[in-house]
Amino acid sequence: FEMYRQKRSMRVGVLVLAACAHDAGLANGPLGVPGYPDCKAPAGGFSSGDVRVRALELVCEPRPARAGQVKVACVGDSITAGVCSSAADKTYPAQLQALLGDGYVVTNYGACGSTMQQHGDSPYWQRPQWPAVQNSSADVVVIMLGTNDAKTKEGGGPANWENDGTTGAAEFERDYRAMIEIFKGFETKPVVYTMVPPPLYKDGVYGMNQTVINKVLPDLVRKINDENQLPHPPIDVFKAMGGSGLLHPDWSCDGCHPTDTGYSHIAVAVRDVLTAVLV
């Protein structure tokens, strides 16, 4: 038991170092972490002022819904959490809620710095947002992960996309498939949407590889979508945010995270797809 306790403590320590690491220099929201996820502080308060510790201690839960409302779960990283947005109502999930109206309840399950890959430096699977979304009884799940998976040692980041049998395209595809299968197994049988993440406007920012994000991920997400026989094409946030031509650099605050305007375009792209199907 003591050996197990020590190993678990070591693993938690690694996650603390990784969680939200690329956002550590950004302005924090009211919870002391970047962005505005639908989470709160633990009952006894946070054990530390360290943003990385707080990210792992968040208590996350779905927003309350009335009978008949469509419950939408937004799964993602700091772009979903709303890093660089000016307020909680400017994140893409919040703006999506405003666009969809009272017939929907949108919950922000964004986990800053998180990866799709289970062997990435901060797997979404080990963040507090993950058990929360599994208990969400969601009717719709939209997944936008991959930006942090594109970090490389060569670019000065963690070894998240090395294509070495531990991390890279094959592992991303495998773990994406596993997550989709879990969502398909929900009792509510939600409609699952993949999303192509926004383009990276600045190569190397936060250790991210621009080629992976701008050239590899768009095709790979479409391949994953098709092979998992999802009923709808991916939501093309990549195109909505300027595409391969990088047409809207002013919609990004740092080359990676959108501004309020950028988040509004993501929300519109998601709204247009959801309402075309669900209305």
Side-chain angles (χ1 to χ4, degrees), residues 56-82:
L56 294 175
E57 293 181 345
L58 292 171
V59 177
C60 308
E61 53 192 19
R63 296 179 61 217
R66 303 190 309 271
Q69 288 181 307
V70 177
K71 298 181 289 295
V72 181
C74 296
V75 172
D77 48 38
S78 56
I79 297 173
T80 298

Side-chain angles (χ1 to χ4, degrees), residues 252-274:
S252 176
C253 70
D254 56 6
C256 171
H257 300 99
T259 61
D260 290 353
T261 299
Y263 283 124
S264 72
H265 285 275
I266 296 176
V268 168
V270 179
R271 186 275 312 270
D272 287 351
V273 171
L274 296 191

Side-chain angles (χ1 to χ4, degrees), residues 76-146:
D77 48 38
S78 56
I79 297 173
T80 298
V83 166
C84 276
S85 60
S86 63
D89 62 353
K90 299 300 184 182
T91 68
Y92 107 70
Q95 295 195 59
L96 176 63
Q97 176 69 75
L99 290 169
L100 291 174
D102 190 56
Y104 298 77
V105 174
V106 180
T107 300
N108 185 336
Y109 294 102
C112 299
S114 60
T115 65
M116 172 60 79
Q117 293 175 84
Q118 297 192 53
H119 288 152
D121 69 314
S122 187
Y124 190 87
W125 308 78
Q126 297 181 28
R127 303 293 292 276
Q129 286 84 347
W130 176 235
V133 73
Q134 290 185 84
N135 293 321
S136 67
S137 300
D139 302 301
V140 176
V141 178
V142 292
I143 309 169
M144 187 164 62
L145 287 164

Side-chain angles (χ1 to χ4, degrees), residues 216-230:
V216 177
L217 284 183
D219 289 338
L220 185 55
V221 171
R222 292 184 182 95
K223 176 176 181 283
I224 291 166
N225 195 89
D226 291 345
E227 291 183 347
N228 286 274
Q229 300 180 326
L230 295 180

